[in-house]
């Protein structure tokens, strides 16, 4: 019907009600401030955190429980039963339960290690900024030494020399990335010392612990947090890599890399054992990176 | 310029000597390798003989001096497992590792740099976003997962390429692709941000304002300046040619230096570990040194500074 078409073409677009346009721009403003990717990253990380904290309560089976008659069951979406939603492994252990436990272990190691790196880095960086002279030179030498070697090689050497225990492993992972934080906190502390507020509290008689801890640290915290978000996914990758090689977290404890490593032998027949943890590793590191980039843009325009 | 180079060389030597001391110290602090290697119920005479054979009965200082002397003579000790010279065991693996890392390196540069430049010149275009997305994925997908996925697709499902081993050149394809992808992502990201920064500089605007056509401005003014930060990353990758394939070699059962290192760590064959550690340290420090010197040649402003380079 030409007249109908004509009519439609001529029809004026109806003006949207005030409230809708207003709401729309509010939505747009919300998503400009919180891009969907960032929201998804935050949602995923929150989920991971909840899983890590509640691991004991939400996993359907004990992660070490064997079920030799139910070995290598496929997951639900590959024709398996609901008894093992993500299938079972070569010893009949529930993949979902192991995944939950692995998330907890990997996340805990990454968190602990990042915190260790941050504490070591900030202490050494502040020490260099405070004492200058020989101390600063020494710290610089350590930073250069650490930065000049691939950390994986250092880690492997230490593991070869000292053997492996969970405690040592966490400490070792904590050595990763401290040099970046030390470098940043040294530079920031030096420039902070030249600013008014630091010399003001110094003139008021505050000791170095107070100046650095209560005044300088809060002022540079944003930058430090951003560089910690750089460290976190690297530690996850490092831990999972070493565990994959069989040199990280040792059985009966399990971690994401560990699961991938053991699942590898069943890749042809039971790929789900390694795919589930692999996906978790990828999505988690991706989420932290997205979040870190976003934080960096928001909190600290001076970092690139 | 000479003073600049001398400072850098001095630093490099100092770093290497620190690595040496470090490796000796933890070697000495790890306790008695004899007890690690021999079985628990080995007779004491056998343990004594073992210690004497590997020079483990001298004092720490004697061992340190002897250790440095040995290294200077190219004697890196023997593999505790089969008694072969540790250095020989390591050296015979080097060509195999290079057969993976050198093509992968070329792949990284060949893809990463053009992709980064393209992305920067067409900022916010569809391809720019695609390049950046892929490069983020290249960052966050661990190489062992990427390798396993490639095996799953090309070896298990399609059956067109072998999944591991090193018999033919076809065995090298998947490891090279695995290694190259992650590196290309990193290089693309660096190149892009370096280019973007340079393109925002006043001298580009000046060049444009005095009538230099855009392609020429990019070629003559932007690219050389953006090359400096990119060179740092590339230079560091040269240093990791030996050590950069540890995980990938294990995934693809490729008998290179990396796989040797893994098995040496698992068996606690300390002399092998140490030889590889020192080899990697020398490679890394040398390539860092070369990058520093190249910096000095490219950018005369840096020669006066003796502080540490920001990476």
């Amino acid at each position: 019907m030409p007249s109908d078409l004509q009519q439609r073409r001529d029809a004026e677009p109806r003006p949207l009600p005030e409230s809708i346009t207003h709401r729309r721009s509010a939505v747009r403003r919300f998503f400009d401030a919180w891009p969907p990717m960032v929201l998804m990253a935050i949602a995923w990380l929150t989920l991971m955190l909840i899983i890590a904290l509640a691991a004991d309560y939400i996993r359907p089976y004990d992660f070490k429980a064997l079920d030799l008659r139910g070995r290598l069951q496929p997951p639900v979406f590959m024709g398996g039963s609901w008894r093992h939603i993500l299938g079972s492994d070569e010893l009949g252990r529930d993949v979902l339960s192991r995944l939950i436990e692995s998330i907890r272990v990997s996340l805990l190691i990454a968190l602990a290690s990042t915190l260790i790196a941050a504490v070591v880095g900030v202490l050494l960086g502040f020490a260099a900024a405070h004492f200058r002279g020989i101390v600063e030179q020494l710290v610089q030498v350590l930073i250069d030494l650490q930065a000049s070697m691939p950390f994986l090689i250092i880690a492997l050497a230490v593991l070869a020399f000292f053997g492996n225990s969970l405690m040592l492993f966490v400490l070792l992972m904590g050595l990763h990335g401290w040099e970046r934080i030390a470098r940043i906190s040294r530079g920031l502390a030096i420039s902070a010392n030249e600013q008014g507020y630091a010399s003001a509290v110094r003139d008021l008689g505050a000791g170095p612990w107070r100046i650095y801890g209560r005044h300088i640290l809060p002022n540079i915290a944003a930058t430090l947090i951003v560089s910690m978000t750089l460290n976190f996914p690297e530690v996850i990758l490092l831990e999972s890599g070493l565990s994959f090689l069989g040199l990280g977290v040792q059985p009966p404890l399990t971690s994401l890399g560990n699961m991938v490593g053991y699942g590898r032998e069943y890749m042809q027949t039971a790929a789900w054992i390694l795919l589930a943890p692999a996906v978790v590793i990828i999505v988690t590191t991706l989420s932290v990176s997205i979040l870190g980039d976003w934080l960096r843009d928001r909190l600290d325009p001076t970092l690139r | 310029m000479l003073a600049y180079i001398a400072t850098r060389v001095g630093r490099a030597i100092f770093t290497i000597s620190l690595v040496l001391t470090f490796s000796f110290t933890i070697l000495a602090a790890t306790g008695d390798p004899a007890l690690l290697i021999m079985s628990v119920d080995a007779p004491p005479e056998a343990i004594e003989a073992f210690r004497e054979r590997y020079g483990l009965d001298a004092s720490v200082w004697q061992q340190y001096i002897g250790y440095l002397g040995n290294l200077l003579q190219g004697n890196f000790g023997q593999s505790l497992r089969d008694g072969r010279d540790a250095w020989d065991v390591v050296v015979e693996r080097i060509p195999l590792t290079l057969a993976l890392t050198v093509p992968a390196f070329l792949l990284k540069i060949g893809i990463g740099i053009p992709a980064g430049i393209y992305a920067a010149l067409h900022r916010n275009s569809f391809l720019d976003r695609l390049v950046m997305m892929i490069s983020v994925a290249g960052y966050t997908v661990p190489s062992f997962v990427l390798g396993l996925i490639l095996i799953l697709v090309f070896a298990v499902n399609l059956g067109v390429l072998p999944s591991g081993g090193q018999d033919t050149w076809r065995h090298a394809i998947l490891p090279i692709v695995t290694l190259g992808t992650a590196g290309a992502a990193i290089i693309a990201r660096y190149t892009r941000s370096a280019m973007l920064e340079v393109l925002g500089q006043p001298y580009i605007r000046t060049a444009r304002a005095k009538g230099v056509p855009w392609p020429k401005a990019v070629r003559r003014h932007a690219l050389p300046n953006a090359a400096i930060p990119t060179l740092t990353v590339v230079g560091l990758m040269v240093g990791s040619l030996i050590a950069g394939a540890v995980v990938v070699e294990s995934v693809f059962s490729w008998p290179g230096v990396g796989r040797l290192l893994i098995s040496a760590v698992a068996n606690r064959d300390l002399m092998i570990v140490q030889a590889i550690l020192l080899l990697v340290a020398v490679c890394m420090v040398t390539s860092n040194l070369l990058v520093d010197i190249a910096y000095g040649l490219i950018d005369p402003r840096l020669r006066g500074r003796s502080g540490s380079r920001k990476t």
Side-chain angles (χ1 to χ4, degrees), chain B residues 23-47:
Chain B
S23 82
F24 175 78
T25 312
I26 48 179
L27 206 58
T30 44
D32 200 333
L35 296 178
L36 290 171
I37 294 300
M38 312 285 280
S39 65
V40 186
D41 48 337
E45 305 87 65
I47 293 179

Side-chain angles (χ1 to χ4, degrees), chain A residues 59-295:
Chain A
R59 61 171 171 241
Y61 301 91
D62 182 358
F63 72 96
K64 283 178 284 193
L66 309 180
D67 175 8
L68 292 177
R69 266 182 286 175
R71 277 175 295 176
L72 299 177
Q73 302 265 326
V76 167
F77 49 87
M78 287 170 74
S81 72
W82 283 94
R83 275 191 53 198
H84 297 294
I85 298 176
L86 291 179
S88 64
D89 69 3
E90 74 278 11
L91 296 171
R93 295 174 299 191
D94 183 48
V95 171
L96 179 61
S97 306
R98 292 184 71 70
L99 187 67
I100 289 172
E101 181 67 17
S102 298
I103 289 170
R104 163 150 85 179
V105 170
S106 290
L107 229 57
L108 271 180
I109 291 179
L111 270 176
S113 308
T114 306
L115 283 179
I116 294 174
V119 171
V120 172
V122 167
L123 280 180
L124 286 178
F126 280 179
H130 183 68
F131 296 109
R132 309 302 293 260
I134 186 91
V135 176
E136 188 176 27
Q137 289 297 323
L138 202 67
V139 172
Q140 293 274 30
V141 164
L142 282 177
I143 290 176
D144 280 356
L145 180 65
Q146 171 106 5
S148 68
M149 287 289 287
F151 188 74
L152 185 64
I153 303 294
I154 301 182
L156 284 171
V158 171
L159 288 175
F161 290 137
F162 291 108
N164 197 343
S165 71
L166 188 63
M167 194 65 191
L168 175 77
F169 187 63
V170 172
L171 288 176
L172 179 62
M173 295 295 100
L175 282 183
H176 176 266
W178 68 267
E179 84 277 6
R180 188 166 41 208
I181 292 176
R183 203 181 272 164
I184 292 172
S185 50
R186 172 186 157 271
L188 290 174
I190 287 176
S191 66
N193 267 328
E194 285 156 8
Q195 281 169 23
Y197 72 92
S199 45
V201 281
R202 191 175 302 115
D203 291 345
L204 285 171
W209 285 103
R210 192 175 174 86
I211 299 175
Y212 286 100
R214 297 290 296 277
H215 297 279
I216 293 183
L217 189 58
N219 270 292
I220 67 172
T223 314
L224 291 181
I225 289 170
V226 170
S227 73
M228 279 164 75
T229 64
L230 279 176
N231 208 31
F232 190 81
E234 287 173 6
V235 173
I236 293 185
L237 292 182
L238 194 65
E239 180 271 319
S240 55
L242 284 170
S243 297
F244 169 79
L245 295 171
L247 300 169
V249 173
Q250 299 294 319
L253 213 57
T254 174
S255 83
L256 293 171
N258 212 310
M259 280 183 83
V260 178
Y262 285 99
R264 176 185 167 191
E265 286 161 37
Y266 297 88
M267 194 164 63
Q268 305 205 6
T269 49
W272 59 85
I273 303 177
L274 77 91
L275 286 180
V279 168
V280 172
I281 295 173
I282 295 172
V283 179
T284 307
T285 47
L286 190 63
S287 299
V288 183
S289 304
I290 291 172
L291 193 66
D293 278 357
W294 176 74
L295 276 177

Side-chain angles (χ1 to χ4, degrees), chain B residues 31-300:
Chain B
D32 200 333
L35 296 178
L36 290 171
I37 294 300
M38 312 285 280
S39 65
V40 186
D41 48 337
E45 305 87 65
I47 293 179
E48 268 320 302
F50 181 91
R51 285 201 181 124
E52 221 163 287
R53 168 131 190 254
Y54 292 104
L56 298 167
D57 51 352
S59 82
V60 171
W61 275 110
Q62 278 170 315
Q63 285 193 42
Y64 187 57
I65 301 297
Y67 171 76
L68 290 184
N70 278 335
L71 293 188
L72 284 177
Q73 292 164 28
N75 180 3
F76 284 77
Q78 288 132 328
S79 164
L80 294 176
R81 286 279 145 177
D82 54 10
R84 288 182 58 206
D85 201 47
W87 188 244
D88 293 343
V89 176
V90 174
V91 165
E92 69 186 22
R93 302 291 191 103
I94 292 179
L96 283 168
T97 290
L98 290 181
L100 293 187
T101 49
V102 170
F105 181 69
L106 298 177
L107 193 70
K108 288 174 203 173
I109 296 182
I111 295 177
I113 291 183
I117 293 175
Y118 182 89
L121 290 179
H122 301 83
R123 194 180 186 181
N124 290 332
S125 69
F126 171 71
L127 271 170
D128 174 30
R129 284 174 194 221
L130 190 71
V131 166
M132 287 326 285
M133 248 172 61
I134 296 174
S135 105
V136 169
Y139 254 113
T140 51
V141 179
S143 56
F144 61 92
V145 170
L146 181 62
L148 290 176
I149 291 174
L150 290 178
I151 291 180
L152 210 52
V153 174
F154 289 99
V156 176
N157 285 338
L158 299 177
V160 288
L161 288 169
S163 65
Q166 54 105 27
D167 304 326
T168 64
W169 61 271
R170 283 155 51 88
H171 289 84
I173 295 178
L174 289 182
I176 290 173
V177 170
T178 310
L179 279 173
T181 312
I186 295 173
I187 292 187
R189 217 177 145 99
Y190 263 90
T191 311
R192 177 179 178 271
S193 71
M195 270 302 275
L196 283 180
E197 176 153 336
V198 168
L199 289 175
Q201 294 293 318
Y203 54 77
I204 298 291
R205 210 180 317 138
T206 310
R208 291 288 289 147
K210 68 179 193 188
V212 178
W214 180 239
K216 195 178 172 194
V218 169
R219 214 170 47 239
R220 294 286 301 277
H221 299 277
L223 289 180
N225 282 299
I228 295 176
T230 310
L231 186 70
T232 314
V233 189
V234 175
L236 289 177
M237 285 183 174
V238 172
S240 62
L241 282 180
I242 298 275
V246 174
V247 176
V248 172
E249 280 178 8
S250 295
V251 172
F252 291 97
S253 318
W254 186 272
V257 177
R259 194 135 167 270
L260 176 69
L261 176 61
I262 298 297
S263 65
V265 170
N267 298 326
R268 307 196 65 175
D269 195 343
L270 302 182
M271 293 305 157
I272 301 271
V273 174
Q274 175 196 257
I276 296 178
L277 183 71
L278 297 180
L279 176 69
V280 171
V282 170
C283 290
M284 291 302 293
V285 169
T286 311
S287 66
N288 272 342
L289 177 68
L290 292 179
V291 168
D292 271 342
I293 292 176
Y295 253 56
L297 291 176
I298 295 175
D299 191 345

